[in-house]
Amino acid sequence: AKADGRGIHRFYRAELLVGAQNRKALEDDLRHALAQNQFHLAYQPVVSTREERIVGYEALIRWEHPTRGAISPAEFIPVAEECGLIETIGEWVMRTACDEAARWPEGVRVAVNVSPIQFANPALPAIVTNALARSGIAPQRLELEITEGVFLDETASSDQMFKSLKAIGVRLALDDFGTGYSSLGYLKKAPFDKIKIDQSFVRGAAIAGNRNAAIIKAIVTLAETLGMETTAEGVELKDELALIRDLGCSHIQGYIYGKPARSEEVEKQLGNGGKA
Ligand code: C2E
Ligand code: CA
Ligand code: CA
Ligand code: CA
């Protein structure tokens, strides 16, 4: 058959149009989601490799849409970032995570994902300070997870933001490490307490001949030299767990230890001493 350039063109246009309509609908629904209490946070345990204890939880936003059901943050966070709603949603996440963590035993940390757009807002330190003050949790219990995206449009203000956040006393983690363009360069620029090794490196690492294990090892060595902790993300299998332990990651997060669950579940889990 002869290739029909216009046909292909029409096909793509129709696809784009449907995409745009879905997106517009999603955006409209997103605007009401906060007021209508459709969001909640789910917490996934972060376990210390050596003692096998839960040291904290990562807060992950969940959206229960009235007709579509659960929508993944991977789908709606980018939309919220583009339409400006991430500021309000992000502030809600920060407050809720601190409030809920205040009901957990002292010393159990909570990690909150911070979008590059929030990071670029000079009001972020005040938002963090406020969330800490109203919840009463110590700054060291709050960890902010920042992706390499914050370095993309680089300004002196990102240096100032890192200083302000460290001055508050919160911990900083570099999320999804290894997926950006210049991951190594970012390490020298900011005072991170932790590197989170992206799950794409963990996936398949335990298979013989796979190069990911060597990469993880190198990241761990680098992090140790710089005095940073490492969390391997997305550990699902026993083989992966054994390998990650051998490679020396200080912390592990993944379905093997627990899926994200509501704060009430976390309180129950911690009731038995936080044994993973
Ligand atoms: P992320 O920050 O890299 O979070 C880790 C993701 O991996 C979560 O997906 C988590 O449920 C998933 N995960 C954890 N363990 C495993 C495992 O063993 N196997 C597999 N296959 N997956 C695992 P989730 O909750 O769907 O979140 C996706 C992304 O959405 C997050 O990636 C983060 O970038 C973003 N996100 C989630 N909550 C928030 C939030 O409150 N604020 C912002 N700005 N972004 C958020
Ligand atoms: Ca994260
Ligand atoms: Ca991550
Ligand atoms: Ca990720």
Side-chain angles (χ1 to χ4, degrees):
K2 214 161 59 171
D4 178 359
R6 279 187 314 177
I8 288 165
H9 188 63
R10 268 199 302 274
F11 172 74
Y12 280 126
R13 282 202 35 130
E15 284 264 284
L16 280 176
L17 198 62
V18 171
Q21 279 166 350
N22 274 341
R23 199 183 170 85
K24 184 70 176 64
L26 194 68
E27 194 181 313
D28 288 344
D29 291 349
L30 211 44
R31 282 185 205 288
H32 304 111
L34 251 189
Q36 292 174 357
N37 282 317
Q38 291 165 9
F39 292 127
H40 72 269
L41 296 181
Y43 297 91
Q44 186 178 35
V46 179
V47 173
S48 70
T49 311
R50 215 166 295 157
E51 294 99 7
E52 244 186 340
R53 276 199 167 269
I54 296 172
V55 300
Y57 290 80
E58 177 177 1
L60 295 156
I61 193 167
R62 295 291 176 260
W63 182 15
E64 200 58 46
H65 188 280
T67 56
R68 288 181 58 189
I71 301 179
S72 162
E75 186 177 346
F76 73 81
I77 290 290
V79 177
E81 286 174 334
E82 272 175 43
C83 70
L85 285 168
I86 193 67
E87 301 280 2
T88 336
I89 295 173
E91 186 167 354
W92 177 86
V93 171
M94 190 75 69
R95 286 170 166 233
T96 307
C98 290
D99 288 351
E100 294 189 320
R103 298 204 292 268
W104 308 343
E106 289 272 340
V108 178
R109 290 182 194 139
V110 65
V112 171
N113 290 287
V114 174
S115 156
I117 293 169
Q118 293 172 268
F119 193 84
N121 180 356
L124 181 64
I127 290 167
V128 171
T129 306
N130 188 272
L132 290 169
R134 48 174 267 153
S135 67
I137 71 165
Q140 312 83 256
R141 284 180 68 188
L142 176 62
E143 188 164 84
L144 305 183
E145 297 196 0
I146 294 153
T147 60
E148 296 165 334
V150 303
F151 298 102
L152 283 183
D153 83 301
E154 216 171 328
T155 51
S157 65
S158 76
D159 288 350
Q160 186 49 51
M161 182 57 75
F162 280 117
K163 284 202 188 92
S164 304
L165 295 174
K166 281 317 291 181
I168 295 170
V170 295
R171 290 165 51 90
L172 299 176
L174 182 52
D175 203 358
D176 298 348
F177 185 77
T179 59
Y181 286 104
S182 163
S183 303
L184 288 181
Y186 305 141
L187 282 183
K188 67 174 184 202
K189 289 186 192 147
F192 291 106
D193 300 282
K194 171 185 275 187
I195 293 173
K196 298 195 76 176
I197 301 171
D198 191 69
Q199 48 181 283
S200 58
F201 293 104
V202 173
R203 207 59 55 238
I207 297 166
N210 190 290
R211 297 175 152 209
N212 288 358
I215 296 172
I216 295 172
K217 180 77 212 159
I219 297 173
V220 169
T221 306
L222 179 70
E224 278 174 354
T225 309
L226 295 170
M228 298 174 187
E229 296 176 348
T230 42
T231 297
E233 295 191 290
V235 178
E236 292 179 356
L237 307 172
K238 279 195 168 146
D239 284 357
E240 290 169 352
L241 179 63
L243 178 76
I244 293 299
R245 287 175 156 279
D246 282 351
L247 294 174
C249 287
S250 63
H251 296 84
I252 291 164
Q253 187 179 348
Y255 294 164
I256 194 154
Y257 282 126
K259 293 201 169 171
R262 291 199 185 240
S263 181
E264 297 84 67
E265 279 304 308
V266 169
E267 286 174 50
K268 275 184 220 154
Q269 260 176 42
L270 294 171
N272 65 12
K275 208 65 191 126

